[in-house]
Amino acid sequence: MFYVVETNEQLAELFYKGYDKVFIEPIYFNDNIHPSLNRVSLLYIKPLNNDKGYIVCLDHSETLSLNKTPINNLLASYEEIYVRDRKSFIYFFPLRNTVDILFGIPEYTEPTTSAHDFFYQRHGDKGIINTIIPAVKHYEKCELIFDKVKQYCVKPHNVKFYNKLTSVFFSIERNGIKTNQDVFNKFFESNNDTFSIHDNTIYTQYNLHTTTGRPSNSFNGINFAALKKEDGCREAFIPENDYFVEIDISAYHPTLAAQLVGYSFEDETPYQYFAREANIEIDEAKILMFRQLYGGIYKEYQHIPYFQLIQKHVDKLWETFQTDGFIECPISGHKLTKEIKDLNPQKLFNYTLQNLETSTNVLILWDIVKVLKSKPTKIVLYTYDAILIDYNEEDNILEQINQVFKKYNLKTKMTKGSNYGTMSII
């Protein structure tokens, strides 16, 4: 049994129940539409200390519709709200009392119902498909979801970091990227333009729930993390303000690895250091550096102090992992456990390094977002060791942004251009 909440009297009754901890699953108009272009049809609310759930109605063909303001008041009254995707949820309900539970679930496959499969197979392109699927079927699916995740509805010790993570990527996603439609159509074909494109602006979506915590960025048939530099496809993306500024972090992973093991390259770059120690050319050092970090230290380089510290760290990390059954990544507190398949000492180190990259980037992005507050300049794309900024020259804040990277002891290269494909060094 469940309760349909479609009148203000029913909503007030739910409010005065006084529940403090709940799981909420939003039912959007269409599961495949980007949150920037989507709307909420229903909310499934399941109190953690109650057997019955509620369907709160905002806009559905079978029900009356509630005003959003009293619903906001209801949600704000809860002590803790557990959701499967906080980043999407805060598009509609920007609340601080939300906890994203998927960060604690090693592998997750969303349940479905035969009704959902039927409607999506035949009418999945309809922007309002979920308002047509019977509310009782949405409740049935939400119950299946809750059964799979209810054991994870516990606030993690690192919830502040995860909330910061979801907030910064929400702030990037909602900006979108303006496109030159003619060039865009030449290189790209989305699954459905209405799902992520509006007024020549395309919206990206970052998947934060990955094994290492390193976000992927593929949505609606377009992989924004793999835009080639050589084929001209990047020219499809243009600034809304004066020009693009891209900030690339130099030698990011070697630098992070050095910070991890407590090594300083002094005034040299990691590649200059390696080239000098190994008596090789810089270009060769760049290639070989990553082979050492990701494939293991070659015997002929094991005498180099930096790599000696890396190897000791890899060995210690694996020993802790074998003893405790998990390791906790620095900054994020993200746990890598034995539930991850085919781990070995080098892969475990690589995973922690990728997580450290993401965690450090979250701190950087958080600081930059604060600099950009109330300004036209905005971050429009993130690609691991680089961020793309749609820059308004009147803001005059490039030096402020550069100081953020210096705060974290990182060296950068800045380029600018009238589109993403024609960038030149500043």
Side-chain angles (χ1 to χ4, degrees):
M1 179 180 176
F2 70 99
Y3 298 99
V4 172
V5 179
E6 56 182 340
T7 68
N8 288 329
E9 291 74 21
Q10 291 169 333
L11 190 66
E13 185 178 341
L14 174 56
F15 181 90
Y16 289 114
K17 292 283 185 182
Y19 297 121
D20 58 350
K21 299 179 182 181
V22 298
F23 170 77
I24 295 182
E25 179 72 12
I27 294 97
Y28 303 114
F29 272 31
N30 186 308
D31 295 343
N32 299 319
I33 294 178
H34 192 278
S36 288
L37 306 176
N38 219 335
R39 293 171 61 189
V40 178
S41 173
L42 306 166
L43 284 179
Y44 165 84
I45 300 180
K46 185 65 172 271
L48 299 190
N49 61 349
N50 196 302
D51 292 336
K52 297 179 178 64
Y54 298 82
I55 289 289
V56 177
C57 308
L58 286 86
D59 193 340
H60 191 274
S61 61
E62 295 180 335
T63 70
L64 301 176
S65 298
L66 287 164
N67 188 282
K68 193 177 176 183
T69 300
I71 295 175
N72 283 333
N73 295 336
L74 171 68
L75 300 191
S77 73
Y78 294 131
E79 180 184 337
E80 295 171 11
I81 296 174
Y82 294 92
V83 295
R84 289 190 306 122
D85 184 356
R86 181 180 185 270
K87 176 165 59 62
S88 293
F89 189 78
I90 60 177
Y91 274 87
F92 307 95
F93 304 101
L95 301 168
R96 294 183 179 181
N97 56 348
T98 47
V99 179
D100 193 315
I101 58 176
L102 284 196
F103 291 116
I105 303 177
E107 292 184 6
Y108 177 82
T109 303
E110 184 174 322
T112 186
T113 70
S114 56
H116 284 81
D117 291 342
F118 174 84
F119 277 95
Y120 270 89
Q121 285 169 5
R122 288 162 176 75
H123 309 290
D125 285 345
K126 287 186 178 294
I128 59 168
I129 186 63
N130 282 339
T131 70
I132 300 169
I133 297 174
V136 66
K137 290 300 177 181
H138 286 306
Y139 182 82
E140 179 184 333
K141 178 180 177 180
C142 290
E143 284 285 286
L144 294 173
I145 291 171
F146 180 69
D147 283 344
K148 289 191 71 170
V149 305
K150 59 185 176 183
Q151 63 179 306
Y152 300 100
C153 291
V154 179
K155 184 184 287 188
H157 71 283
N158 54 346
V159 65
K160 287 185 177 179
F161 175 82
Y162 284 141
N163 283 358
K164 187 174 285 189
L165 167 69
T166 50
S167 294
V168 295
F169 282 98
F170 155 74
S171 71
I172 297 172
E173 278 185 10
R174 66 175 177 173
N175 289 330
I177 313 178
K178 190 176 179 182
T179 62
N180 179 319
Q181 206 60 38
D182 291 336
V183 181
F184 181 87
N185 291 336
K186 178 182 176 182
F187 289 98
F188 301 101
E189 184 177 358
S190 69
N191 296 333
N192 184 321
D193 284 358
T194 63
F195 287 175
S196 64
I197 301 172
H198 179 69
D199 285 345
N200 291 337
T201 295
I202 188 165
Y203 293 92
T204 63
Q205 189 168 61
Y206 297 88
N207 173 22
L208 307 179
H209 305 111
T210 62
T211 301
T212 66
R214 194 185 206 202
S216 58
N217 185 14
S218 181
F219 184 67
N220 197 19
I222 299 171
N223 187 352
F224 293 93
L227 300 174
K228 296 179 180 178
K229 294 182 178 180
E230 303 82 14
D231 65 359
C233 72
R234 292 190 176 195
E235 294 179 17
F237 304 101
I238 59 176
E240 185 176 337
N241 292 303
D242 295 314
Y243 48 81
F244 279 146
V245 172
E246 186 173 44
I247 305 175
D248 285 279
I249 302 173
S250 304
Y252 201 8
H253 280 201
T255 302
L256 288 176
Q259 293 177 1
L260 203 56
V261 302
Y263 190 82
S264 173
F265 295 112
E266 302 298 339
D267 295 328
E268 292 181 298
T269 69
Y271 307 128
Q272 289 170 337
Y273 165 84
F274 184 22
R276 176 175 55 77
E277 288 283 344
N279 195 27
I280 57 178
E281 296 296 322
I282 291 285
D283 288 344
E284 186 179 7
K286 289 181 178 180
I287 296 169
L288 288 174
M289 174 67 82
F290 285 93
R291 290 180 183 173
Q292 310 314 298
L293 293 179
Y294 283 95
I297 312 300
Y298 291 2
K299 186 176 180 179
E300 59 264 39
Y301 303 131
Q302 290 177 357
H303 67 283
I304 297 175
Y306 171 65
F307 291 133
Q308 287 179 345
L309 289 174
I310 294 290
Q311 190 59 57
K312 286 181 182 178
H313 182 79
V314 170
D315 294 341
K316 180 63 177 176
L317 205 61
W318 186 249
E319 180 185 335
T320 302
F321 182 76
Q322 293 295 94
T323 302
D324 298 343
F326 70 93
I327 63 102
E328 190 172 292
C329 299
I331 301 177
S332 71
H334 181 72
K335 288 185 178 181
L336 299 173
T337 71
K338 289 190 174 181
E339 293 176 330
I340 302 171
K341 297 175 182 177
D342 303 323
L343 271 183
N344 58 51
Q346 195 63 43
K347 186 181 286 188
L348 181 63
F349 171 68
N350 299 156
Y351 280 9
T352 61
L353 195 56
Q354 288 182 22
N355 185 270
L356 180 60
E357 169 203 74
T358 301
S359 303
T360 304
N361 285 341
V362 168
L363 301 182
I364 291 168
L365 290 167
W366 183 265
D367 288 348
I368 293 175
V369 167
K370 288 192 290 185
V371 171
L372 299 182
K373 188 176 181 180
S374 302
K375 293 181 174 62
T377 296
K378 54 190 177 181
I379 304 171
V380 293
L381 191 64
Y382 161 93
T383 50
Y384 309 130
D385 61 353
I387 61 170
L388 185 66
I389 296 174
D390 189 337
Y391 190 69
N392 184 300
E393 203 161 41
E394 290 184 1
D395 289 339
N396 192 27
I397 50 172
L398 276 186
E399 183 52 35
Q400 281 181 263
I401 294 172
N402 196 41
Q403 287 300 319
V404 172
F405 291 93
K406 289 182 178 179
K407 172 183 173 181
Y408 296 98
N409 298 312
L410 298 169
K411 296 178 180 179
T412 60
K413 178 185 73 174
M414 283 192 183
T415 56
K416 63 181 283 190
S418 58
N419 64 63
Y420 191 32
T422 56
M423 307 289 286
S424 56
I425 295 176
I426 296 178

